[in-house]
Amino acid sequence: MEKTFYIETFGCQMNAHDSEKVIGTLINTGYTQVETPEEANYVFYNTCSIRDKAEQKVFHRLQSLKRTGKNKVFAVLGCVAQQEGEKIFERAPHVSLVAGSASYTKLPEMLIQIEAGNRRVTGLSFDNPEAFDTPFTRRDNPYHAYITIIEGCDKNCSYCVVPFTRGPERSRTSESVMEEARRVAGLGYTEIQLLGQNVNSYRDPSSAGWDFATMLDKVGSIPGIRRVRFTTSHPRDFVKPIIDAIDSNPNLCDHVHLPVQSGSSSVLAGMQRLYTRAEYMQRIDWMKNAKRSIAITSDIIVGFPGETERDFQDTLDLLDEVQFDAIFAFKYSQRPNTSALALADHIPEEEKTRRIMIVNERQRAIQIRNNANLVGEVYEVHVEGRHQSLGQWMGRTSQYRTLNFSGRDGEDLLGSYVPVRVTRAGPNSLVGEAVL
Ligand code: SAH
Ligand code: SF4
Ligand code: F3S
C-alpha cells in the first residue's frame, strides 16, 4: 500500500508542535503527506480533550469518514487518545492506532505493527525517556519555531484533564533545549516559542540545574534569536526573576500569558489553583512595575460549579482592574476523572452563556479603549504574512499584538522586522504604516 498520510490537529500550541514532530517522523519513515483525508491511506487526528466540544470533534470526523475509509488506517493521537485509550476501539472500530503524546518517537515501530496487519495498536505509556528526542520535527511556520521544554503537568486544577492526558511533569535537559534552539537559529529562525503546559515550573534535570528564568535568558542570548516567547505560565510558579530576565534581556518578548481563571478567591480555591486573587494581583503588579511595558493576556472560566453572581462580578471587576490586552474566555465544561465533577451547584448552560457574553463584552470595551491609545506609537513588527487582497503585510509586535500595515511597492518584507506606526486601532488588531 502506498504510504500517504493526512493529519488534522486540534487543540493548543503543544498539539500543533506535536503534529510537527509526528509529520517529521512519518516523512522520515518514508510516508508522504497529502492535503485531504480522501487521498490518504493513513488518517491521523491529533486530538484535544480540554472541553467536551473539543473531544466530540474527533468522533464526528471519524464518523463522517467511516464509509469512505474502507482501506484506510485511522489513527487517534493526542489528548483524547491518552484519555480514552482502548475505549476508542470500541467507540470507533475502524480506528487501528491510539497513541498519546509521550509515544510519538515510537510511531515508526507502531506503524510496522500496523503494516503487519495488527489492527489494535496502542502507545499510551508516559514512561519514554526518549520522548524529547525528536530530531525529525517538520516545522510548519517559517518565522517562529516552537520548542518543548517541559511535558505534562503536576498541578491538579479541579476542572482540568491535562494531568491525565499529558501525564506528570517532565522537564527536558537544558543541553537538549539549547541544542535545538541553536539548530533552529542556524536554520534562520529568529523567533522561538518555548512550550509547556506549565513552562515556568521548568527545572533542568541535569547538573546545570537551570530554572525557567535562566533558560529564558540563555535562549534569548543565542546569536540570531531576536524574540523569545513562552506559554503557558501558572501564576503559582510565576516568580519575580522571570520579570527581571525580561527586563534585562530585550530579546525576551514583553508579553506574558498568565491565566487567572476567576477573580474570586473562593472560586479559585474550588478550582485548586493554589493562589488567591491578591496573590495573582501581586504578579500583575510586578509586571506593571517592570521597566518595559509588558502586555498581559489571560484565560477565564465562567460558570465553575458554585460560582455565584457575586463571584462572577469579582471576575468582571478583575478585568477592569488588570486591563488585560486580551483574554480567552471559556464556559466551564465537565471533564472525565477531574475532581470538580464531584462538586455541587453546577451552573445551567444558559447562565454560562449569559456570563461568557458579559465577560467578552466587558473585555472588548477595555481593548477598544486601550488600543485607541496606541495610535501614533511605533512598534517593531515581525512580518509573518501578507493579505493579498488588501495589499497589506501582517505581523506581530513583541507584545503579541497583530499589526497589519502597508509598505513600499515591490518590497518583500516576509520574515523581516519592520518599524510600523499605528494609524488605526480595533479591539483585536492594529493597522499602521511602515516607517521607512
Ligand atoms: N496550563 C494552562 C492551561 C491550559 S488549558 C494553565 O494552567 O493556565 C487552556 C485553558 O483552557 C485554561 O487556562 C482554562 O481557562 C481552559 N480550561 C481548562 N479546562 C477547562 C474546562 N474543564 N472547562 C472550561 N475551560 C477549561
Ligand atoms: Fe490544567 Fe491546571 Fe495543569 Fe494548567 S496548571 S494544565 S489548568 S491542571
Ligand atoms: Fe487540548 Fe491537550 Fe492541549 S487537552 S489544550 S491539546 S494539552
Side-chain angles (χ1 to χ4, degrees):
M1 183 156 86
E2 202 195 342
K3 294 176 172 184
T4 50
F5 75 95
Y6 167 83
I7 184 166
E8 182 173 359
T9 308
F10 305 92
C12 63
Q13 285 150 322
M14 303 217 55
N15 252 22
H17 183 39
D18 282 345
S19 284
E20 296 180 330
K21 298 175 192 172
V22 168
I23 291 168
T25 304
L26 291 175
I27 290 174
N28 191 60
T29 317
Y31 292 71
T32 309
Q33 190 173 9
V34 292
E35 294 298 316
T36 65
E38 289 75 19
E39 293 167 77
N41 294 320
Y42 291 77
V43 176
F44 290 84
Y45 291 113
N46 190 6
T47 60
C48 173
S49 177
I50 200 76
R51 285 166 289 275
D52 186 55
K53 265 201 190 128
E55 176 176 347
Q56 295 318 322
K57 274 189 196 154
V58 62
F59 292 107
H60 288 144
R61 289 289 195 287
L62 286 168
Q63 201 56 34
S64 65
L65 271 177
K66 202 171 166 182
R67 267 172 288 120
T68 58
K70 281 203 195 75
N71 298 314
K72 290 188 204 301
V73 170
F74 288 95
V76 178
L77 307 179
C79 290
V80 176
Q82 193 71 54
Q83 177 192 298
E84 296 296 301
E86 296 182 1
K87 277 188 266 171
I88 292 179
F89 296 133
E90 286 154 37
R91 197 159 158 192
H94 54 308
V95 170
S96 305
L97 172 65
V98 173
S101 61
S103 303
Y104 299 155
T105 53
K106 300 190 175 139
L107 271 175
E109 296 159 40
M110 294 191 272
L111 288 165
I112 288 172
Q113 291 184 41
I114 298 221
E115 282 158 22
N118 191 341
R119 282 289 171 266
R120 291 282 184 271
V121 177
T122 56
L124 296 168
S125 165
F126 288 123
D127 186 19
N128 175 10
E130 277 137 38
F132 288 121
D133 300 339
T134 50
F136 309 118
T137 304
R138 226 0 124 94
R139 289 195 159 77
D140 196 32
N141 184 307
Y143 310 110
H144 64 254
Y146 292 132
I147 296 184
T148 308
I149 65 166
I150 179 168
E151 272 288 358
C153 182
D154 278 349
K155 296 282 182 289
N156 246 318
C157 303
S158 61
Y159 52 82
C160 183
V161 280
V162 171
F164 307 99
T165 65
R166 290 196 169 254
E169 244 170 51
R170 289 143 286 153
S171 286
R172 182 175 179 180
T173 63
S174 53
E175 193 190 343
S176 169
V177 174
M178 289 300 282
E179 190 269 324
E180 186 168 8
R182 286 194 202 98
R183 187 150 36 89
V184 298
L187 291 170
Y189 284 94
T190 56
E191 183 167 330
I192 285 178
Q193 183 156 6
L194 301 178
L195 291 182
Q197 275 305 339
N198 187 356
V199 272
N200 44 13
S201 78
Y202 175 80
R203 190 87 227 174
D204 184 0
S206 74
S207 57
W210 294 2
D211 59 11
F212 179 62
T214 308
M215 171 65 82
L216 270 182
D217 185 50
K218 298 278 189 188
V219 174
S221 304
I222 292 173
I225 295 304
R226 292 179 64 161
R227 285 189 177 179
V228 181
R229 304 188 182 281
F230 52 97
T231 30
T232 295
S233 299
H234 188 287
R236 172 73 172 237
D237 301 320
F238 194 80
V239 292
K240 183 80 174 21
I242 299 172
I243 308 287
D244 298 339
I246 294 175
D247 263 342
S248 61
N249 186 336
N251 290 344
L252 306 183
C253 287
D254 31 18
H255 168 222
V256 172
H257 183 64
L258 196 65
V260 63
Q261 316 299 1
S262 169
S264 153
S265 289
S266 75
V267 172
L268 290 172
M271 290 176 164
Q272 289 164 217
R273 283 293 283 181
L274 309 175
Y275 55 85
T276 60
R277 175 185 177 127
E279 284 163 341
Y280 183 84
M281 287 309 298
Q282 183 190 39
R283 273 81 181 155
I284 298 295
D285 281 346
W286 292 340
M287 286 190 264
K288 300 244 169 180
N289 291 322
K291 290 189 203 124
R292 280 192 279 161
S293 160
I294 297 178
I296 309 168
T297 55
S298 201
D299 295 342
I300 302 280
I301 296 176
V302 298
F304 185 75
E307 184 188 66
T308 62
E309 185 58 32
R310 175 77 207 278
D311 294 321
F312 175 60
Q313 290 299 327
D314 286 345
T315 296
L316 295 177
D317 171 71
L318 182 113
L319 297 184
D320 289 341
E321 195 175 342
V322 178
Q323 302 277 304
F324 290 113
D325 293 85
I327 60 163
F328 301 92
F330 307 102
K331 294 192 246 183
Y332 168 71
S333 166
Q334 293 188 6
R335 306 309 297 128
N337 307 317
T338 58
S339 60
L341 286 177
L343 297 175
D345 292 333
H346 282 270
I347 310 282
E349 189 60 24
E350 312 78 69
E351 180 56 19
K352 288 185 202 165
T353 304
R354 186 186 74 88
R355 291 183 189 181
I356 200 169
M357 284 172 67
I358 296 174
V359 159
N360 283 331
E361 264 167 44
R362 180 75 67 105
Q363 179 60 25
R364 188 179 154 88
I366 290 172
Q367 288 175 212
I368 289 175
R369 205 170 47 240
N370 291 345
N371 286 356
N373 291 331
L374 305 177
V375 172
E377 299 286 328
V378 174
Y379 293 101
E380 186 185 65
V381 172
H382 184 194
V383 185
E384 294 194 15
R386 184 166 168 80
H387 299 288
Q388 288 299 353
S389 54
L390 301 173
Q392 277 185 334
W393 298 99
M394 192 271 289
R396 294 215 187 242
T397 68
S398 170
Q399 296 189 324
Y400 208 56
R401 292 204 177 90
T402 301
L403 218 167
N404 300 308
F405 67 98
S406 43
R408 260 199 305 241
D409 283 352
E411 215 169 18
D412 184 5
L413 298 176
L414 279 178
S416 62
Y417 289 78
V418 179
V420 177
R421 176 167 288 109
V422 178
T423 53
R424 269 191 297 133
N428 298 312
S429 65
L430 307 172
V431 179
E433 281 165 9
V435 182
L436 297 164

